[in-house]
């Protein structure tokens, strides 16, 4: 029997970006909050030996231990889903700060088009533009309504950047100036200007200069150390929940953080959540934490999985397209890319930062005409200099031997003589892409794993063909001696890293028939339960997700405070 | 069972060349930019203290290393048998051979690196999902076998030996480099038919770990003398690149390893 603990105002499941923001906003406003995080505590001092490519990037030091829990995957419903036994396609956060610790910090705002994608696509191109099976829908909120919350997240994190000339309207500039320009960035920028595109600095959560945020938290400038993505920042320069929101929550005296606490169920009765059931993984003891309000911030997969395991919300059924939990799983379409080789130019690409780069949105969202194209939406195209570390930096021209003398010579020669330009392709949802519980494979407690059913579609292949060509054009204009553009997209596979930009499963919208949460990320069926994260995205845009996750978390925090004053549906 | 020549091989393994010590002596630790993480800055040791990678051996036991020479105590085996070690050493040298650019896998200590990795968590797939049931999946679903890396190396190396004996009537390490390449190629392309493991899968793991051993921080036993990093002009573990990030000219820096982060008396 679980030990029942004293009731709290709010319990949070998972303390990463979403959980951290909720904890700080609610405790600042006087609510008592318990944060349950299944991983360990983290602090800047942990990163004393962090410049270790093997340990952090290839042995996945900071990520979820897959021996305890993983996901299963199949390309379609006809084949058997099998477990992701080792890491590949994406990496799952674990421990205080979640993936917010080892992310790159590329912090974009989704486009106004994204939030009204269905209406705007029909308005401009007609209904027939949306192919059969593509389940895009409006988000139940507009960009303008979300703008103040984007602004809040950017001020919290101190984003360094300049205004996106093709983005949504901004109420304020970025809080800090753009990052420094490297020669590769200048070349990209000049090339894009030559092609009449609109380059701007990638908005960066690695600080360009020292910054104090509205909570009074001061952080130092980024050192361009080159060990950013998959690593923690020893300087605290990278915005991370552990050096921003979590200390603010702790300072209020209202936040009780419990690490090594793995939540297995959300408890509920009569349409209300009553708390959560969790295991202290250090002792194996089971606890019940009652709360007035439950907030789920356990990343896309566990947000959806815990709801299904707990029997909350109607599970999605791909046959009928009804039900909502597990619906509209989407990802990121990244293969449209190019690499340029330079014979006489060496770049200091061992140096870099997670979000150091230049990009364009000329081919993102609906910023270009899709009339004659066989896809909708698009991609942010960028050159980023994130630090080329030697084990993983072995780009060689096609036709080079795959090992041995010639391979070694080429990989050494081009180690610092190449530039990658890539497109971060949006990903549209389809009726047969979804999340549900795996019938066979279990986690360490015997609970079913999350099962992903997903593959790339014609939409994605067309997008890659188009974007790969654009990346190649930019590289040619940059003066590369040899340009290799990838314009082909193979079936989705789970073995090579693409991005940790999984989305959907608990999507937002304006009706309980088609969405799981409203635009405060409040569950339609269970109004004291809030589900926060990219799980709320009805589709994924041509950007990294966290800027939009942060904005939605701030809006949810506001909603929770309102709900605490006056319970009931917020919309 | 190891034969005599193999034992000889192991005995004659050369100690690291003296340039290593000189290099380390000369690699002043220059810290660029501003250091804000107090703990990081304060524990940096001074550049002229304790500059070798190894403990002095004062010759109390019988040892052919002269007194005051440095020995690398890391170069012993945690997992492999001698035979496995020698196959791995020969094979990785073909995958990443010494050439005009610089050292190959053997000189970098790649086979020691792989041995040490197999001895630890990676060798037993410690943080990977290894629960059944096991089914053969689509290639898009990744590795679905029940064998752990150690077992895959045990089988793979044995099969390389068997295949060499069959094809050339010699052990892998005694083949000519061209013959060794042929064997490796036959594994790479699944020309070798194995029932227990995938030959190409084993080849991939062997190749991947060879690259890791060439370029990981020397603390893991490979990348000897930071020779892998020097090949690529990779500066290793530097505190800051703020000063050079905008610069157009390529910056060659003496590499620095993680060892420099701890005080050594
Ligand atoms: C390598 C990498 C690079 C990235 N780079 C970028 C980038 O440049 N830009 C960008 O926008 N995004 C990036 N992302 C994505 C970004 O990190 C995530 O979008 C963001 O962290 C999501 O926040 P979250 O709160 O939803 O989840 P997380 O930050 O992952 O936090 C979830 C937390 O919940 C905990 N948890 C899960 N299940 C349970 C349970 N049952 N009980 C208790 N606790 C639980 C986890 O341990 C974790 O700490 C990157 C991600 C990775 C992995
Ligand atoms: S690149 Fe900058 S933000 Fe990233 S870890 Fe290094 S110092 Fe921190």
């Amino acid at each position: 029997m679980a030990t029942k603990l004293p009731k709290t105002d709010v319990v949070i499941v998972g303390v990463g970006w979403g959980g951290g923001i909720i904890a700080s906003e609610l405790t600042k406003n006087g609510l008592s909050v318990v944060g349950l995080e299944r991983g360990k505590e983290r602090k800047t001092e942990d990163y004393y030996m962090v410049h270790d490519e093997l340990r952090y990037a290839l042995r996945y030091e900071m990520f979820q231990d897959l021996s305890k829990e993983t996901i299963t995957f199949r390309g379609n419903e006809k084949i058997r889903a099998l477990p992701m036994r080792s890491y590949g396609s994406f990496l799952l956060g674990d421990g205080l700060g979640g993936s917010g610790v080892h992310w790159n910090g590329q912090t974009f705002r989704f486009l106004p088009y994204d939030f009204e994608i269905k209406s705007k696509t029909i308005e401009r191109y007609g209904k027939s533009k949306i192919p059969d099976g593509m389940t895009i829908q409006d988000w139940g909120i507009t960009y303008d309504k979300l703008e103040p919350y984007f602004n809040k997240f950017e001020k919290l994190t101190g984003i360094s950047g300049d205004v996106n000339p093709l983005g949504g309207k901004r109420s304020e500039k970025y809080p800090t100036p753009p990052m420094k320009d490297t020669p590769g960035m200048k070349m990209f920028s000049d090339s894009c200007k030559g092609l009449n595109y609109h380059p701007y600095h990638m908005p960066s959560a690695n600080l360009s200069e020292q910054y104090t945020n509205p909570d009074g938290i001061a952080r130092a400038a980024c050192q361009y150390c080159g060990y950013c993505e998959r690593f923690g920042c020893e300087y605290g320069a990278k915005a991370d929940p552990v050096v921003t929101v979590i200390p603010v929550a702790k300072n209020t005296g209202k936040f009780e953080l419990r690490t090594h606490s793995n939540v297995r169920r959300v408890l509920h009765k009569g349409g209300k959540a009553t708390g959560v059931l969790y295991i202290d993984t250090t002792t194996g003891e089971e606890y019940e934490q009652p709360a007035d309000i439950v907030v789920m911030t356990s990343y896309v997969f566990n947000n959806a999985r815990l709801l299904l395991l707990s029997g909350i919300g109607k599970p999605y059924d791909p046959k009928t397209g009804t039900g909502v939990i597990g619906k509209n799983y989407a990802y990121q379409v990244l293969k449209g890319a190019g690499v340029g080789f330079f014979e006489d130019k060496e770049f200091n690409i061992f140096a870099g930062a997670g979000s150091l780069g230049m990009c364009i949105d000329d081919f993102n969202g609906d910023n270009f005409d899709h009339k004659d194209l066989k896809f909708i939406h698009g991609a942010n195209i960028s050159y980023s200099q994130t630090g080329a570390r030697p084990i993983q930096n072995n780009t060689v021209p096609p036709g080079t031997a795959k090992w041995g003398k010639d391979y070694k010579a080429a990989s050494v020669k081009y180690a610092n003589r190449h530039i990658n330009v890539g497109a971060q392709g949006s990903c549209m949802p389809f009726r047969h892409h979804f999340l549900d519980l795996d019938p066979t494979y279990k986690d360490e407690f015997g609970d079913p794993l999350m099962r992903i059913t997903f593959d790339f579609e014609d939409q994605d292949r067309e997008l890659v063909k188009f974007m790969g060509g654009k990346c190649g054009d930019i590289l040619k204009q940059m003066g590369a001696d040899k340009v290799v553009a990838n314009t082909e997209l193979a079936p989705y596979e789970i073995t090579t890293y693409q991005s940790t930009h999984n989305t959907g499963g608990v999507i937002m919208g304006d009706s309980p028939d088609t969405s799981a949460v409203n635009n405060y990320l409040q569950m339609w069926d269970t109004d004291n339960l809030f589900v926060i994260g990219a799980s709320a995205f009805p589709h994924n845009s041509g950007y990294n997700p966290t800027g939009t996750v942060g904005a939605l978390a701030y809006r949810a925090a506001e909603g929770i405070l309102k709900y605490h004053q006056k319970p009931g549906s917020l919309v | 069972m190891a034969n005599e020549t193999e034992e000889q091989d192991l005995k004659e393994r050369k100690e690291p060349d003296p340039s290593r010590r000189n290099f380390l002596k000369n690699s002043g630790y220059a810290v660029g930019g501003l250091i804000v993480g107090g703990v990081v800055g304060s524990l940096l040791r001074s550049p002229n203290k304790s500059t070798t990678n190894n403990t002095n051996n004062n010759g109390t036991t019988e040892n052919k290393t002269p007194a005051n020479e440095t020995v690398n105590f890391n170069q012993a085996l945690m997992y492999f048998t001698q035979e496995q070690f020698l196959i791995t050493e020969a094979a990785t040298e073909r995958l990443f051979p010494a050439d005009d650019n610089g050292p190959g896998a053997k000189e970098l200590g790649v086979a020691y690196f792989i041995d040490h990795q197999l001895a630890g968590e990676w060798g037993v797939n410690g943080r990977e999902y290894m629960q059944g049931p096991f089914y053969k999946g689509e290639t898009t679903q990744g590795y679905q076998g029940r064998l752990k890396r150690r077992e895959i190396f045990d089988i793979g190396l044995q099969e390389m030996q068997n295949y060499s004996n069959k094809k050339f009537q010699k052990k892998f390490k005694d083949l000519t480099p061209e013959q060794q390449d042929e064997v490796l190629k036959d594994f790479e392309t699944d020309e070798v038919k194995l029932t227990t493991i995938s030959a190409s899968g084993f080849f991939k793991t062997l190749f991947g770990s060879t690259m890791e051993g060439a370029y990981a921080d020397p603390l893991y036993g490979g990348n000897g003398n930071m020779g892998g990093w020097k090949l690529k002009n990779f500066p290793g573990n530097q505190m800051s690149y703020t000063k050079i990030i905008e610069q157009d000219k390529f910056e060659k820096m003496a590499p620095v390893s993680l060892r420099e982060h701890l005080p050594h008396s």
Side-chain angles (χ1 to χ4, degrees), chain B residues 8-206:
Chain B
Q8 201 57 25
D9 261 16
L10 281 171
K11 275 196 193 129
E12 280 173 12
R13 203 150 297 288
K14 282 212 188 72
E15 289 310 322
D17 65 312
S19 65
R20 167 190 219 158
R21 282 172 294 134
N22 292 337
F23 164 72
L24 283 162
K25 251 180 226 156
N26 296 334
S27 67
Y29 197 102
V31 176
L34 157 95
I35 306 275
V36 283
V39 51
V40 175
S42 64
L43 281 175
L44 283 177
R45 68 206 186 87
S46 73
N48 45 11
K49 262 206 294 179
S50 178
T51 41
T52 59
N53 203 4
N54 307 297
T55 327
N56 278 348
N57 184 322
N58 54 19
T60 45
T61 54
E62 200 202 327
N63 191 311
K64 65 198 180 82
T65 310
N68 299 325
E69 260 302 306
T70 57
V71 285
N72 187 344
F73 290 108
N74 188 275
Q75 298 201 330
L77 301 179
M78 300 178 188
Y79 178 73
F80 280 149
T81 63
Q82 283 188 21
E83 186 186 11
Q84 289 175 322
F85 176 79
L86 292 171
I87 300 169
T88 304
E89 188 170 61
T92 54
E93 178 66 16
R94 292 315 302 155
L95 298 176
F96 198 83
D99 65 358
D100 297 345
N101 291 302
K106 182 168 176 175
E107 190 180 334
L108 294 172
V110 167
Y112 289 109
F113 167 88
I114 296 176
D115 169 73
H116 300 353
Q117 287 294 304
L118 286 172
E121 192 170 61
W122 183 77
V124 293
N125 303 45
R127 296 179 71 232
E128 290 163 29
Y129 191 82
M130 296 304 282
Q131 290 177 44
F134 294 92
Y135 297 105
K136 196 172 151 26
E138 311 275 325
T139 51
T140 56
Q141 292 174 304
Y143 177 67
Q144 292 296 334
R146 63 180 75 226
L147 295 175
K148 303 190 168 157
R149 289 192 184 84
R150 278 186 193 175
E151 297 160 327
I152 290 176
F153 267 86
D154 287 349
I155 297 169
L157 293 173
Q158 184 61 53
E159 293 288 359
M160 273 174 67
Q161 195 77 302
N162 295 349
Y163 191 71
S164 306
N165 277 323
K166 201 170 105 207
K167 191 159 178 173
F168 300 110
Q169 293 76 51
K170 273 187 186 154
K171 293 189 168 189
F172 181 82
K173 78 166 184 59
D174 298 326
L175 301 180
T176 66
E178 293 71 29
Q179 291 171 328
Q180 289 177 334
D181 285 358
E182 264 186 62
V183 171
L184 287 165
K185 185 112 228 143
D186 289 350
F187 271 75
E188 184 193 16
T189 56
D190 279 319
E191 195 60 38
V192 188
K193 300 280 180 259
L194 304 181
T195 48
T196 39
I197 60 168
S198 138
S200 59
F202 169 64
F203 177 88
K204 266 195 204 123
T205 308
L206 183 66

Side-chain angles (χ1 to χ4, degrees), chain A residues 163-314:
Chain A
V163 172
N164 174 2
L166 301 176
K169 267 206 298 295
R170 304 179 55 91
S171 54
E172 283 181 83
K173 291 194 312 195
Y174 283 108
T176 55
M179 301 282 278
K180 291 182 190 290
D181 284 305
T182 68
M185 285 161 70
K186 282 196 199 121
M187 286 161 64
F188 177 91
S189 188
D190 291 343
S191 160
C192 287
K193 282 181 195 150
L195 292 162
N196 289 321
Y197 304 154
H198 300 79
Y200 66 102
H201 287 86
M202 184 175 271
S204 165
N206 323 130
L207 288 178
S208 61
E209 62 183 30
Q210 187 169 335
Y211 172 70
T212 305
N213 78 8
D215 289 323
I217 297 271
R219 287 159 43 227
C222 168
Q223 301 297 304
Y224 304 90
C225 79
Y227 290 83
C228 205
E229 177 175 31
R230 303 191 184 191
F231 305 83
C233 179
E234 75 224 275
Y235 298 103
K238 168 159 60 174
D240 146 2
V242 180
V243 296
T244 54
V245 279
I246 293 167
V248 172
K250 281 186 175 165
N251 269 344
T252 63
K254 291 275 188 186
F255 183 49
E256 190 186 337
L257 171 69
R258 294 187 207 136
T259 55
H260 302 94
S261 301
N262 198 326
V263 176
R264 291 185 60 194
R265 294 291 183 278
V266 177
L267 304 170
H268 57 104
K269 203 173 164 187
K272 298 270 181 205
T274 55
V276 300
L277 184 76
Y278 74 95
I279 290 196
D280 175 344
T281 58
T282 61
T283 60
E285 272 175 68
E286 214 171 29
Y287 293 95
E288 182 185 335
Q289 176 61 63
D292 288 332
I293 298 169
V294 176
V295 185
M296 303 189 53
T297 45
S298 54
Y299 196 60
V300 173
F301 296 115
N302 270 338
N303 281 356
R305 190 170 80 115
L306 289 171
L307 290 175
L308 291 169
L309 286 172
S310 308
I312 299 177
K314 190 167 176 227

Side-chain angles (χ1 to χ4, degrees), chain A residues 48 52 59 63 235 441-442, chain B residues 127 133 212 220 239 261:
Chain A
Y48 187 54
D52 184 338
R59 299 289 180 262
F63 303 101
Y235 298 103
Y441 293 96
K442 308 271 193 279
Chain B
R127 296 179 71 232
E212 290 174 355
Y220 296 98
M239 298 306 296
H261 252 42

Side-chain angles (χ1 to χ4, degrees), chain A residues 13-19 36-39 63 91 93-100 102-107 229-230 261-264 297-300 302 306 497 500-501 532-534 544-547 549:
Chain A
V13 182
V15 188
W17 261 132
L36 300 174
E37 165 55 48
R38 69 177 175 190
F63 303 101
L91 303 166
D94 178 58
L96 195 60
S99 289
H102 44 65
W103 69 322
N104 271 321
Q106 304 175 0
T107 313
E229 177 175 31
R230 303 191 184 191
S261 301
N262 198 326
V263 176
R264 291 185 60 194
T297 45
S298 54
Y299 196 60
V300 173
N302 270 338
L306 289 171
Y497 188 73
T500 308
H501 303 168
I532 295 165
N544 314 57
T546 312
V549 171

